[in-house]
Amino acid sequence: MHAEDRNNVAHPDRHTKAGWQLWQDKNCQSCHQLYGLGGYMGPDLTNVYSEKGPKYMETFIKYGTGKMPNFHLNDSETQGLVSFLAWIDKSGKTKIPASAVHWWGISK
Amino acid sequence: MNEYPVYYKRFLQFALGLLATALMLGLLSATAFIFPETFNEFLPFYQLRPFHTSAALFWIITASAACIILYKNEVFSDVSKHNTSEKLFMVLWIGSILAVFCCYAFKKFGGREYWEFPPVLSIVLLISWLVFMYSYFSAWRKSINRKPLYVWMWSTGIFFFLITFMEQNLWLIPWFRSSFLKEITIQWKANGSMVGAWNQMIYGTALFLMVKISDDATIAQNKKAFFFYFLGLTNLMFNWGHHLYNVPNGSWIRNTSYVISMTELLIFINIIAGFKNKLNEQKRLKHIIPYRFLVAAEYWAFANLLLALLMSIPVVNRYTHGTHITVAHAMISTIGINTMILLASIGYILDVDAKNLKVKKFINKAYWHTQFGLGAFGLSLVIAGIIKAYRTAVFESITFQEVMQPVMVVIKIFLFAGVWLAISLLSIVVCYFRLLNSRETKSGMENISTVIIIEEYDFK
């Protein structure tokens, strides 16, 4: 399987890796899913970068909401998380279009 | 039970303690889910959930290992009941689990879904499992009694747990992290197969119990039983792809898994076909408490299989993926099937049918409350999932919070059902815990048929 070739997604750079490590350290997957894997307190974030944009994401990450705690992240950490989610967004779409689903399975 | 060292009892009590922890933290997690603003300051959901999921996983794996350790000594005629490697496994295993919980208490994460602890602790867990494997397979190798199917199932489960545990830690190798699709595919695959691995251990234990309870060794030796074992093994190895319908990798992975998932229809049909014989068997054996837990597990397996088969159909999965229907499936599996079988097994080890009437009535009452509590629990999750799936599909432009508004009403009902379920199960846990501390001289490993006094009790 060479998914990264299929979508021409580059390997994660240093900034993306830092964001990924932060995602793990803060246990973001307890509340959010990526490709459906994770908790259900918050939304699936696989394609939040293309659907909502970086400014929207930065606001949530920096300030939290009633449900999401404020993790008091600095600008570099916030940008790292945005970079990580942008990298995931490039890997593909988590929503399968209805036209791809058939009684016999799933087409491309 | 009294012919074994005290540390066997403590290991079983530790397993029961994990179940109690999973139940109480599950209630707290559900409350935090409903009132996050209140909990965020002192005990946030992202800290409670890993406590709950890890406690549940470790309860299942610890109790499975504990039962296999006791049963294998009888099956393999292993005279070294004070096996050093067993003791070493228990110490390492308990120590690493306690270390995991300490990390969670101090918000030290860094792992993956269901294994959120810092990955260095995986090394200790791995070493302890290898010690357990050494203990088990040393006795297996020396034994001539390897034919019964439950031995095959225990061996398969123990081996594949090692494989899937290592798969879950492959992300530590940079090559696996170079592509997120690669990483997420392996995570989903490993989590799915791990469930298959512990199912082999637990179903093997259920089969062993049925042989002992019915006094019929042919149950574990006939061709039909072996056919379903190989079907289960095939699903363990290749069924995991139904977790990946929404991941944009090769269609062949998803479609192969679709076909494999549908083979579970054979199990479904077999349960229906054998229902009448099962009813006759129930009339004959219903006075035996461990047997009643096994029957409960079978009914839940039927319900859960129906749910799983529906979820594995891509057209249905498109809507159910990422909803509480997935949670319902996971909870009914772990509680309705796995926990029921493990409580049957521990009840058998404790020889609960030889206890006084008060104890048996108590367990029976808690048993029925557990079944109804779990029914309400599972149903509320399915309803919550259906509402979320419907609103997500129909109202494409509304926010996540707007989707979840009516779902939260059902989640509150789910919490009440969870309280009912938790109290019922905790009652059984406390009862078993206290029985393990008692000083009765009757050995829990005697065959049911040789117990001198079994008080007949009408469990209507």
Side-chain angles (χ1 to χ4, degrees), chain A:
Chain A
M1 175 180 67
H2 300 285
E4 69 269 38
D5 297 331
R6 182 181 296 138
N7 293 329
N8 291 319
V9 179
H11 291 189
D13 60 23
R14 192 172 51 85
H15 210 45
T16 301
K17 284 180 188 174
W20 197 348
Q21 186 64 49
L22 195 61
W23 173 275
Q24 286 172 224
D25 291 342
K26 299 299 179 189
N27 206 23
C28 302
Q29 73 216 12
S30 250
C31 299
H32 293 285
Q33 310 123 57
L34 295 172
Y35 285 111
L37 185 63
Y40 294 154
M41 171 76 93
D44 189 308
L45 297 180
T46 309
N47 300 118
V48 68
Y49 187 85
S50 54
E51 287 173 1
K52 301 289 186 185
K55 290 294 173 199
Y56 179 93
M57 294 163 64
E58 282 167 22
T59 307
F60 270 83
I61 293 169
K62 273 187 93 70
Y63 303 109
T65 64
K67 280 195 165 192
M68 176 170 157
N70 183 347
F71 288 97
H72 306 288
L73 301 181
N74 59 38
D75 288 343
S76 173
E77 289 169 329
T78 303
Q79 289 308 313
L81 272 175
V82 171
S83 176
F84 168 60
L85 290 169
W87 178 68
I88 291 178
D89 182 61
K90 283 184 203 158
S91 66
K93 298 294 177 197
T94 187
K95 283 184 190 151
I96 313 172
S99 56
V101 181
H102 314 275
W103 67 266
W104 49 261
I106 299 173
S107 58
K108 282 187 184 177

Side-chain angles (χ1 to χ4, degrees), chain A residues 1-7 9-12 17 20-21 23-44 46 52 56 60 65-72 84 87-108, chain B residues 32-34 36-37 40 44-47 49-50 107-116 171 176-185 187-188 191 243 245-251 253-255 258 313-327 388 392 396 399-401 404 408:
Chain A
M1 175 180 67
H2 300 285
E4 69 269 38
D5 297 331
R6 182 181 296 138
N7 293 329
V9 179
H11 291 189
K17 284 180 188 174
W20 197 348
Q21 186 64 49
W23 173 275
Q24 286 172 224
D25 291 342
K26 299 299 179 189
N27 206 23
C28 302
Q29 73 216 12
S30 250
C31 299
H32 293 285
Q33 310 123 57
L34 295 172
Y35 285 111
L37 185 63
Y40 294 154
M41 171 76 93
D44 189 308
T46 309
K52 301 289 186 185
Y56 179 93
F60 270 83
T65 64
K67 280 195 165 192
M68 176 170 157
N70 183 347
F71 288 97
H72 306 288
F84 168 60
W87 178 68
I88 291 178
D89 182 61
K90 283 184 203 158
S91 66
K93 298 294 177 197
T94 187
K95 283 184 190 151
I96 313 172
S99 56
V101 181
H102 314 275
W103 67 266
W104 49 261
I106 299 173
S107 58
K108 282 187 184 177
Chain B
F33 191 93
I34 297 168
E37 299 86 350
N40 275 346
F45 180 79
Y46 73 85
Q47 187 178 16
R49 185 177 177 265
K107 294 182 184 170
K108 297 293 178 197
F109 304 111
R112 288 287 185 272
E113 178 74 345
Y114 303 139
W115 308 92
E116 282 104 325
W171 65 269
F176 288 96
R177 295 201 304 275
S178 62
S179 154
F180 193 73
L181 291 186
K182 203 186 301 180
E183 146 97 23
I184 199 75
T185 298
Q187 285 295 310
W188 266 124
N191 284 342
H243 297 154
Y245 287 163
N246 65 325
V247 180
N249 46 29
S251 294
I253 295 175
R254 294 175 282 188
N255 293 333
Y258 179 28
I313 300 171
V315 169
V316 176
N317 188 273
R318 183 170 177 266
Y319 298 101
T320 63
H321 200 77
T323 72
H324 292 83
I325 292 173
T326 311
V327 182
K388 187 183 176 193
T392 306
E396 282 190 10
T399 65
F400 175 78
Q401 288 75 15
M404 290 298 288
M408 293 308 291

Side-chain angles (χ1 to χ4, degrees), chain B residues 214-370:
Chain B
S214 62
D215 204 20
D216 180 5
T218 63
I219 295 173
Q221 290 167 359
N222 64 69
K223 285 183 184 169
K224 188 175 165 188
F226 273 90
F227 168 76
F228 281 107
Y229 159 72
F230 281 109
L231 183 64
L233 183 60
T234 307
N235 274 275
L236 187 168
M237 291 194 287
F238 303 110
N239 190 359
W240 48 268
H242 64 235
H243 297 154
L244 296 164
Y245 287 163
N246 65 325
V247 180
N249 46 29
S251 294
W252 69 269
I253 295 175
R254 294 175 282 188
N255 293 333
T256 302
S257 168
Y258 179 28
V259 171
I260 299 283
S261 297
M262 292 300 113
T263 62
E264 290 195 316
L265 271 168
L266 294 170
I267 303 172
F268 195 69
I269 293 165
N270 183 58
I271 294 175
I272 296 172
F275 189 63
K276 193 175 171 191
N277 286 340
K278 179 58 74 177
L279 281 178
N280 293 334
E281 182 189 82
Q282 283 178 42
K283 279 182 197 162
R284 197 163 49 86
L285 298 173
K286 69 175 183 181
H287 62 283
I288 298 174
I289 293 175
Y291 177 76
R292 293 172 71 78
F293 279 98
L294 290 178
V295 167
E298 191 148 353
Y299 279 108
W300 286 117
F302 182 79
N304 204 35
L305 200 52
L306 177 63
L307 187 61
L309 283 165
L310 287 170
M311 286 163 62
S312 296
I313 300 171
V315 169
V316 176
N317 188 273
R318 183 170 177 266
Y319 298 101
T320 63
H321 200 77
T323 72
H324 292 83
I325 292 173
T326 311
V327 182
H329 171 63
M331 297 285 194
I332 294 173
S333 299
T334 50
I335 303 172
I337 305 172
N338 299 150
T339 296
M340 289 299 117
I341 293 172
L342 290 168
L343 290 178
S345 179
I346 298 173
Y348 176 79
I349 290 167
L350 287 169
D351 200 10
V352 290
D353 286 302
K355 303 301 180 230
N356 64 54
L357 191 60
K358 193 177 167 188
V359 168
K360 291 194 290 183
K361 273 188 178 179
F362 181 84
I363 295 173
N364 183 60
K365 201 170 179 178
Y367 165 87
W368 280 113
H369 276 283
T370 299

